[in-house]
Amino acid sequence: AAARLRAVDASIGAGQRVRLRGTLRGGFVPGRGKVVDLQAFDGGRWRTFATTRSRGRRFSASYRFSGAARGTYPMRARVRPDGAYPFALGYSPVVRVRVG
């Protein structure tokens, strides 16, 4: 499974919300959509901060950073396999969101 991900606003202020949009790549998407995990690299590992369901091939989510957050945060989408989605585990390319 593969996906594309983009940040609507790649640079935001502390305490603001980043909006993320993406698409599933590949041919088949189940009629009820596909669950997509959104992850950020924090503390030396990838952490899931939101889970959303696609509508067809498209998905979206948002995340509000704390007022103390500063820096650049790498984010990606993770698409897990399941019985209704015949693809192996896949990830989107990393997008970077600047907070400050």
Side-chain angles (χ1 to χ4, degrees), residues 3-6 20 36-41 45-50 59 73-79 89-97:
R4 290 183 189 155
L5 181 68
R6 73 179 184 95
L20 302 165
V36 178
D37 297 324
L38 296 163
Q39 299 181 320
F41 194 76
R45 67 186 197 120
W46 288 99
R47 299 176 191 269
T48 300
F49 64 86
F59 60 90
Y73 293 86
M75 297 183 162
R76 70 181 183 186
R78 178 177 68 174
V79 184
L89 176 67
Y91 298 93
S92 71
V94 172
V95 296
R96 299 184 188 288
V97 176

Side-chain angles (χ1 to χ4, degrees), residues 54-100:
S54 72
R55 290 184 176 195
R57 294 175 152 220
R58 296 175 188 251
F59 60 90
S60 63
S62 65
Y63 178 77
R64 183 178 303 279
F65 284 89
S66 73
R70 301 278 190 279
T72 301
Y73 293 86
M75 297 183 162
R76 70 181 183 186
R78 178 177 68 174
V79 184
R80 293 178 283 165
D82 65 30
Y85 193 67
F87 298 101
L89 176 67
Y91 298 93
S92 71
V94 172
V95 296
R96 299 184 188 288
V97 176
R98 281 181 278 157
V99 181

